[in-house]
Amino acid sequence: MLKIENLHAEIDGKKILNGLTLEVAAGEIHAIMGPNGAGKSTLSYVLGGRPGYEVTAGSVEFMGQNLLELEPHERAAAGLFLGFQYPVEIPGVSNVQFLREALNAQRKARGEEPLSGGEFLKLAKAKAGLLKLDMDMLKRHVNVGFSGGEKKRAEMVQMGILDPAFAVLDETDSGLDIDALRIVGEGINTIMRDPAKGVLLITHYQRLLDVVRPDKVSILSQGRIVQTGGPDLALRLEEEGYDAVMADA
Amino acid sequence: MPETDALERPTTRDEAWRYADSAWLAQAPVDWLNHWGTVDVPPGETKHFNAFHSAGPQASGGSVHRTRVHVGAGGRYEHFEINASHIEYSRIELEVTLEEGAHFEFGAVTIGRANARQEFVTRVIHQAPGATSNQVVRAVQGGQSTGNYLGRIEVARDAQKTDAAQNFRAILLDRGASANAKPELEIFADDVKCAHGAAIGQLDQAAAYYMAARGIPPEAARKLLVQAFIADALAAIDDRRIADRMLERALEQLDALTL
Ligand SMILES: Nc1ncnc2c1ncn2[C@@H]1O[C@H](COP(=O)(O)OP(=O)(O)O)[C@@H](O)[C@H]1O
Ligand SMILES: [Mg+2]
């Protein structure tokens, strides 16, 4: 579903990704772990086409398309969702307005009819309920005044509404307390556990992986995947730390 | 005419005209430049003023509108104005004197393109105790246009409990666009609240990318962001239908800006 080959990328001339290769098949949840500064967020932004992140070599194939040729909004319409490590605040634009505009833009790009205001609100209510986020929060401006945990839950509501084929979730668990972590983890399972969907789950912590059970776990270090294994790899990382596990490899 | 001779011709050496178009000032009829309209708000009453200047054909020349407003004790004056005209120079100026407990609410927007130079100028005189005022000015400048806000607040010695706020923000859409802010406070009373802020920048790139990442195309994202930005200046309009209509018209002008 997602096939990354020998990806090199830089920011401001600084090399961050150095020949990263990774494949995620449909139906798979693939966790990415790695030390701070390894390039995990950079990988997610490169996949999302963020300006300033320059790909200097390699390829990314997404559901049969050359992902790197698409504009950021086209990637979203093609089914890619990026869960931000630091969700952005947009003063003056309500979540409802933002998400309805986003969903209908995606539908239009796919040749589907737009949702009416009523249909959209019904959908939004259902997804907010799934993440136990008060509907009033969705009437407020995008992420403005939201706590860290509320922002992460709001991101998952967005994901529920947009219903992507593939999600790259960058530390969606950071800033969440235990209860919120469970709600978010179960939300990811409900929305994305599907034979036709895939997830790249970037995280530092086993506790999210206890809820969202990954099929594979890879370690990203210094801009490349240095090791891939099953769920037990995450457990070993938790116990022994990156240095010990990577030294064994 | 001796009367005309007595009138002074402003130049860009005058602080209040420093961002004006000096070539146009030098040849504009001096009586125009010194013409003041007047508005009188009787004590306890409220007056509203809403105006929209749309972009006519690109024209050379200039226009200056100056109004003196007197707001009697406990009265309110609410003035909202959007200037999307792109004649070379346009200046809209208000001098507002507030009596005890009076309020002045001002929301203004410039939308500029080509080489338009657009300015709002306010001088708010808190003359008596307990008066309040609020000015919110937003500038969206494209092409080589310039948006200026010169806002002066004066608080007289016995105007205690004055509460005055002023905020200016500008977004420059193109490389050649510019904006200038000139806030001035002259305060002679001691028990006074005066807040002011000014910021000039580009459209929020992080927000634009966040929107793109959710599937919103760049033009639609810019439109949403600019709409939110302008809406600040119209937030204090009580009649939401009027506010929505003004916002709608502003967005039409922005479309023409080839956002
Ligand atoms: N905007 C930027 N400009 C320059 N360097 C950056 C920028 N963003 C990240 N980096 C650098 O890239 C490296 C990888 O960062 P990042 O992808 O955020 O790592 P991770 O998410 O794995 O912690 C770090 O060394 C970081 O300092
Ligand atoms: Mg990161």
Side-chain angles (χ1 to χ4, degrees):
Chain A
M1 184 166 208
L2 179 75
K3 193 171 176 191
I4 306 171
E5 242 168 317
N6 187 35
L7 190 63
H8 289 255
E10 50 187 59
I11 314 167
D12 290 337
K14 186 181 168 197
K15 290 194 165 86
I16 316 279
L17 299 185
N18 302 298
L20 187 145
T21 296
L22 178 75
E23 195 170 342
V24 184
E28 212 171 88
I29 293 183
H30 195 131
I32 301 272
M33 307 183 84
N36 278 326
K40 302 183 299 296
S41 292
T42 301
L43 171 63
S44 71
Y45 285 139
V46 167
L47 294 176
R50 186 171 191 140
Y53 290 74
E54 203 198 336
V55 174
T56 52
S59 65
V60 182
E61 192 188 306
F62 177 57
M63 297 171 80
Q65 298 181 74
N66 176 357
L67 186 73
L68 301 178
E69 266 181 358
L70 302 179
E71 295 293 319
H73 67 282
E74 295 168 340
R75 298 181 192 203
L80 181 74
F81 179 88
L82 192 60
F84 284 58
Q85 182 173 3
Y86 303 107
V88 178
E89 298 184 6
I90 314 181
V93 179
S94 77
N95 282 287
V96 169
Q97 187 184 18
F98 170 59
L99 287 167
R100 189 173 164 212
E101 188 101 18
L103 179 61
N104 282 339
Q106 289 197 20
R107 292 176 68 93
K108 189 175 170 193
R110 295 192 291 256
E112 299 162 13
E113 287 296 308
L115 286 196
S116 72
E119 289 167 327
F120 175 79
L121 278 182
K122 210 172 135 197
L123 175 67
K125 220 172 255 173
K127 302 304 173 184
L130 185 65
L131 273 305
K132 302 205 165 38
L133 193 75
D134 194 350
M135 196 53 200
D136 285 344
M137 300 283 290
L138 291 190
K139 296 195 176 120
R140 284 169 45 185
H141 294 169
V142 178
N143 291 322
V144 178
F146 286 26
S147 71
E150 285 166 344
K151 284 179 182 170
K152 295 305 175 80
R153 264 194 282 167
E155 288 263 298
M156 293 303 97
V157 174
Q158 294 183 16
M159 185 170 79
I161 290 170
L162 298 172
D163 192 26
F166 195 95
V168 179
L169 304 178
D170 191 1
E171 298 200 25
T172 296
D173 49 349
S174 65
L176 296 180
D177 60 33
I178 295 293
D179 293 341
L181 186 87
R182 178 156 294 281
I183 292 167
V184 162
E186 282 166 1
I188 295 171
N189 287 334
T190 307
I191 299 163
M192 299 305 295
R193 246 314 166 200
D194 185 308
K197 293 181 171 183
V199 177
L200 254 189
L201 189 63
I202 298 170
T203 181
H204 275 299
Y205 304 105
Q206 175 60 35
R207 43 177 216 170
L208 180 64
L209 302 182
D210 289 337
V211 186
V212 185
R213 303 206 156 265
D215 302 288
K216 288 186 182 159
V217 176
S218 286
I219 304 175
L220 202 167
S221 173
Q222 295 178 9
R224 58 210 301 181
I225 301 295
V226 294
Q227 207 173 335
T228 298
D232 50 308
L233 181 57
L235 291 170
R236 273 191 66 208
L237 282 174
E238 178 104 329
E239 275 163 30
E240 302 171 29
Y242 290 112
D243 289 344
V245 173
M246 290 192 297
D248 282 358
Chain B
M1 285 192 298
E3 248 197 274
T4 305
D5 285 347
L7 294 173
E8 268 186 51
R9 176 180 295 280
T11 74
T12 51
R13 281 186 301 277
D14 299 324
E15 278 299 301
W17 294 81
R18 61 187 296 175
Y19 302 121
D21 181 332
S22 56
W24 182 78
L25 276 190
Q27 51 80 57
V30 74
D31 49 342
W32 272 26
L33 296 176
N34 284 284
H35 176 76
W36 288 86
T38 56
V39 172
D40 188 51
V41 183
E45 288 189 17
T46 297
K47 278 193 181 172
H48 300 273
F49 177 91
N50 303 307
F52 193 100
H53 309 273
S54 41
Q58 174 78 48
S60 59
S63 105
V64 170
H65 280 279
R66 313 177 81 182
T67 309
R68 270 199 189 99
V69 182
H70 182 265
V71 189
R76 283 179 77 85
Y77 182 63
E78 302 183 2
H79 185 119
F80 296 93
E81 192 153 11
I82 295 181
N83 182 10
S85 132
H86 52 233
I87 55 173
E88 274 172 358
Y89 176 62
S90 53
R91 175 186 179 98
I92 294 163
E93 181 171 355
L94 286 176
E95 184 187 296
V96 181
T97 302
L98 299 172
E99 300 298 345
E100 186 161 357
H103 180 75
F104 170 51
E105 186 72 43
F106 181 68
V109 178
T110 61
I111 298 169
R113 65 170 130 165
N115 59 351
R117 184 185 302 237
Q118 304 161 304
E119 57 193 13
F120 280 103
V121 182
T122 58
R123 178 179 172 200
V124 184
I125 304 158
H126 286 257
Q127 176 160 282
T132 52
S133 66
N134 186 37
Q135 297 103 59
V136 180
V137 181
R138 295 291 178 259
V140 183
Q141 309 300 139
Q144 253 115 73
S145 70
T146 303
N148 303 324
Y149 177 51
L150 297 86
R152 185 178 166 86
I153 296 171
E154 297 172 22
V155 181
R157 195 174 306 280
D158 46 350
Q160 303 296 353
K161 306 278 182 206
T162 286
D163 191 341
Q166 183 188 96
N167 186 275
F168 174 66
R169 282 168 62 203
I171 286 180
L172 310 179
L173 296 174
D174 295 310
R175 263 180 176 296
S178 59
N180 299 288
K182 188 174 186 294
E184 268 184 296
L185 305 176
E186 195 183 87
I187 301 172
F188 290 112
D190 42 29
D191 184 9
V192 166
K193 264 203 279 189
C194 240
H196 69 101
I200 297 167
Q202 265 74 42
L203 216 54
D204 183 346
Q205 291 308 309
Y209 175 66
Y210 194 58
M211 290 184 165
R214 297 293 174 257
I216 301 177
E219 318 78 58
R222 276 194 292 262
K223 200 166 166 177
L224 272 177
L225 289 172
V226 170
Q227 179 179 351
F229 179 77
I230 291 176
D232 281 355
L234 308 176
I237 299 182
D238 287 330
D239 187 337
R240 292 325 292 169
R241 281 169 315 177
I242 293 177
D244 290 346
R245 181 74 194 116
M246 283 179 87
L247 194 56
E248 220 171 89
R249 292 187 66 186
L251 290 175
E252 284 164 21
Q253 303 295 323
L254 285 160
D255 279 345
L257 251 175
T258 57
L259 261 180

